[in-house]
Amino acid sequence: QVQLVESGGGSVQAGGSLRLSCGVSGFTFYNNRCMGWFRQAPGKEREGVALIQTGGLRTFYADSVKGRFTISQDNARNTVYLQMNSLKPEDTAMYYCAATPPYRTCNWLSDGYAYWGQGTQVTVSS
């Protein structure tokens, strides 16, 4: 049974940092797939933030977070991270970890992700 469990959210002031973690059970990263972080703010649609192709470690970022956020994976811990620096109030949202089925390439469409975590809240105050 696949489970994705996010942690690391919280409240910070603008300019601060947070690191989100997504612990994965039920599969390993050796079956190449895409792991992604998405977010959804109240009244807005869910949007992709950062993606990582687990085989090859190619990464992709939304324009709004380029240069500030970094996605990475730890194969030994079966965990994906999102390091978020220089946080802005507009980064406030519920952040979700997601995974595609195996052997799928990264894409920004949330429909392509078969597995989702429960989310972790990030709140950035000005």
Side-chain angles (χ1 to χ4, degrees), residues 39 47-51 60-67 69 108:
R39 67 186 180 188
E47 62 173 353
V49 174
L51 311 175
F60 307 86
Y61 296 95
D63 288 344
S64 58
V65 306
K66 276 181 185 175
F69 289 12
W108 291 107

mmCIF file of all heavy atoms in Angstrom, residues 39 47-51 60-67 69 108:
data_model
loop_
_atom_site.group_PDB
_atom_site.id
_atom_site.type_symbol
_atom_site.label_atom_id
_atom_site.label_comp_id
_atom_site.label_asym_id
_atom_site.label_seq_id
_atom_site.Cartn_x
_atom_site.Cartn_y
_atom_site.Cartn_z
ATOM 1 N N ARG A 39 0.878 22.863 -4.493
ATOM 2 C CA ARG A 39 0.305 23.653 -3.412
ATOM 3 C C ARG A 39 -1.045 24.209 -3.824
ATOM 4 O O ARG A 39 -1.327 24.366 -5.011
ATOM 5 C CB ARG A 39 1.246 24.791 -3.004
ATOM 6 C CG ARG A 39 1.435 25.879 -4.068
ATOM 7 C CD ARG A 39 2.496 26.864 -3.606
ATOM 8 N NE ARG A 39 2.709 27.930 -4.590
ATOM 9 C CZ ARG A 39 3.676 28.834 -4.507
ATOM 10 N NH1 ARG A 39 4.534 28.819 -3.492
ATOM 11 N NH2 ARG A 39 3.792 29.770 -5.444
ATOM 12 N N GLU A 47 -1.530 24.089 -7.820
ATOM 13 C CA GLU A 47 -0.481 24.349 -8.805
ATOM 14 C C GLU A 47 0.778 23.562 -8.465
ATOM 15 O O GLU A 47 1.092 23.328 -7.292
ATOM 16 C CB GLU A 47 -0.148 25.841 -8.859
ATOM 17 C CG GLU A 47 0.394 26.416 -7.571
ATOM 18 C CD GLU A 47 0.860 27.855 -7.725
ATOM 19 O OE1 GLU A 47 0.888 28.374 -8.859
ATOM 20 O OE2 GLU A 47 1.219 28.465 -6.694
ATOM 21 N N GLY A 48 1.495 23.166 -9.502
ATOM 22 C CA GLY A 48 2.763 22.486 -9.298
ATOM 23 C C GLY A 48 3.840 23.464 -8.892
ATOM 24 O O GLY A 48 3.897 24.586 -9.403
ATOM 25 N N VAL A 49 4.684 23.029 -7.977
ATOM 26 C CA VAL A 49 5.750 23.878 -7.453
ATOM 27 C C VAL A 49 7.113 23.372 -7.903
ATOM 28 O O VAL A 49 7.917 24.137 -8.425
ATOM 29 C CB VAL A 49 5.687 23.929 -5.912
ATOM 30 C CG1 VAL A 49 6.869 24.696 -5.349
ATOM 31 C CG2 VAL A 49 4.378 24.532 -5.443
ATOM 32 N N ALA A 50 7.352 22.084 -7.672
ATOM 33 C CA ALA A 50 8.652 21.498 -8.023
ATOM 34 C C ALA A 50 8.470 20.009 -8.272
ATOM 35 O O ALA A 50 7.669 19.363 -7.602
ATOM 36 C CB ALA A 50 9.671 21.722 -6.904
ATOM 37 N N LEU A 51 9.224 19.505 -9.248
ATOM 38 C CA LEU A 51 9.143 18.094 -9.625
ATOM 39 C C LEU A 51 10.550 17.507 -9.686
ATOM 40 O O LEU A 51 11.513 18.230 -9.985
ATOM 41 C CB LEU A 51 8.505 17.941 -11.012
ATOM 42 C CG LEU A 51 7.209 18.689 -11.293
ATOM 43 C CD1 LEU A 51 6.813 18.514 -12.762
ATOM 44 C CD2 LEU A 51 6.102 18.199 -10.388
ATOM 45 N N PHE A 60 12.500 20.195 -11.960
ATOM 46 C CA PHE A 60 11.724 21.206 -12.664
ATOM 47 C C PHE A 60 11.090 22.110 -11.616
ATOM 48 O O PHE A 60 10.672 21.638 -10.550
ATOM 49 C CB PHE A 60 10.620 20.554 -13.500
ATOM 50 C CG PHE A 60 11.111 19.474 -14.420
ATOM 51 C CD1 PHE A 60 11.253 18.164 -13.974
ATOM 52 C CD2 PHE A 60 11.429 19.756 -15.732
ATOM 53 C CE1 PHE A 60 11.705 17.163 -14.813
ATOM 54 C CE2 PHE A 60 11.883 18.765 -16.586
ATOM 55 C CZ PHE A 60 12.028 17.463 -16.120
ATOM 56 N N TYR A 61 10.993 23.406 -11.924
ATOM 57 C CA TYR A 61 10.444 24.363 -10.971
ATOM 58 C C TYR A 61 9.468 25.305 -11.652
ATOM 59 O O TYR A 61 9.669 25.702 -12.796
ATOM 60 C CB TYR A 61 11.568 25.191 -10.335
ATOM 61 C CG TYR A 61 12.526 24.364 -9.515
ATOM 62 C CD1 TYR A 61 13.704 23.878 -10.065
ATOM 63 C CD2 TYR A 61 12.232 24.058 -8.188
ATOM 64 C CE1 TYR A 61 14.576 23.097 -9.329
ATOM 65 C CE2 TYR A 61 13.101 23.278 -7.431
ATOM 66 C CZ TYR A 61 14.269 22.800 -8.014
ATOM 67 O OH TYR A 61 15.130 22.023 -7.270
ATOM 68 N N ALA A 62 8.429 25.670 -10.904
ATOM 69 C CA ALA A 62 7.557 26.741 -11.363
ATOM 70 C C ALA A 62 8.341 28.049 -11.361
ATOM 71 O O ALA A 62 9.222 28.253 -10.513
ATOM 72 C CB ALA A 62 6.346 26.846 -10.443
ATOM 73 N N ASP A 63 8.013 28.931 -12.279
ATOM 74 C CA ASP A 63 8.731 30.213 -12.371
ATOM 75 C C ASP A 63 8.684 30.986 -11.053
ATOM 76 O O ASP A 63 9.638 31.678 -10.691
ATOM 77 C CB ASP A 63 8.140 31.066 -13.491
ATOM 78 C CG ASP A 63 8.496 30.543 -14.874
ATOM 79 O OD1 ASP A 63 9.436 29.727 -14.981
ATOM 80 O OD2 ASP A 63 7.818 30.947 -15.840
ATOM 81 N N SER A 64 7.572 30.865 -10.344
ATOM 82 C CA SER A 64 7.378 31.646 -9.113
ATOM 83 C C SER A 64 8.323 31.233 -7.986
ATOM 84 O O SER A 64 8.484 31.984 -7.020
ATOM 85 C CB SER A 64 5.933 31.533 -8.648
ATOM 86 O OG SER A 64 5.595 30.176 -8.427
ATOM 87 N N VAL A 65 8.940 30.048 -8.092
ATOM 88 C CA VAL A 65 9.797 29.575 -6.995
ATOM 89 C C VAL A 65 11.240 29.342 -7.429
ATOM 90 O O VAL A 65 12.084 28.998 -6.595
ATOM 91 C CB VAL A 65 9.235 28.283 -6.359
ATOM 92 C CG1 VAL A 65 7.785 28.494 -5.927
ATOM 93 C CG2 VAL A 65 9.365 27.091 -7.278
ATOM 94 N N LYS A 66 11.539 29.528 -8.716
ATOM 95 C CA LYS A 66 12.899 29.299 -9.198
ATOM 96 C C LYS A 66 13.890 30.156 -8.446
ATOM 97 O O LYS A 66 13.670 31.352 -8.241
ATOM 98 C CB LYS A 66 12.981 29.609 -10.697
ATOM 99 C CG LYS A 66 12.557 28.475 -11.587
ATOM 100 C CD LYS A 66 12.685 28.849 -13.048
ATOM 101 C CE LYS A 66 12.133 27.755 -13.940
ATOM 102 N NZ LYS A 66 12.138 28.139 -15.368
ATOM 103 N N GLY A 67 14.989 29.536 -8.027
ATOM 104 C CA GLY A 67 16.023 30.250 -7.296
ATOM 105 C C GLY A 67 15.771 30.323 -5.799
ATOM 106 O O GLY A 67 16.648 30.741 -5.043
ATOM 107 N N PHE A 69 13.392 27.728 -4.145
ATOM 108 C CA PHE A 69 13.032 26.389 -3.679
ATOM 109 C C PHE A 69 13.949 25.363 -4.332
ATOM 110 O O PHE A 69 14.356 25.526 -5.483
ATOM 111 C CB PHE A 69 11.584 26.056 -4.045
ATOM 112 C CG PHE A 69 10.533 26.812 -3.282
ATOM 113 C CD1 PHE A 69 10.835 27.917 -2.502
ATOM 114 C CD2 PHE A 69 9.199 26.423 -3.369
ATOM 115 C CE1 PHE A 69 9.861 28.612 -1.814
ATOM 116 C CE2 PHE A 69 8.210 27.107 -2.689
ATOM 117 C CZ PHE A 69 8.538 28.198 -1.915
ATOM 118 N N TRP A 108 3.293 18.732 -15.282
ATOM 119 C CA TRP A 108 2.716 19.664 -14.324
ATOM 120 C C TRP A 108 1.232 19.413 -14.068
ATOM 121 O O TRP A 108 0.620 20.097 -13.271
ATOM 122 C CB TRP A 108 2.909 21.103 -14.814
ATOM 123 C CG TRP A 108 4.334 21.535 -14.776
ATOM 124 C CD1 TRP A 108 5.170 21.709 -15.836
ATOM 125 C CD2 TRP A 108 5.118 21.838 -13.602
ATOM 126 N NE1 TRP A 108 6.413 22.096 -15.407
ATOM 127 C CE2 TRP A 108 6.406 22.193 -14.041
ATOM 128 C CE3 TRP A 108 4.846 21.852 -12.235
ATOM 129 C CZ2 TRP A 108 7.424 22.558 -13.166
ATOM 130 C CZ3 TRP A 108 5.859 22.209 -11.354
ATOM 131 C CH2 TRP A 108 7.128 22.554 -11.820
#
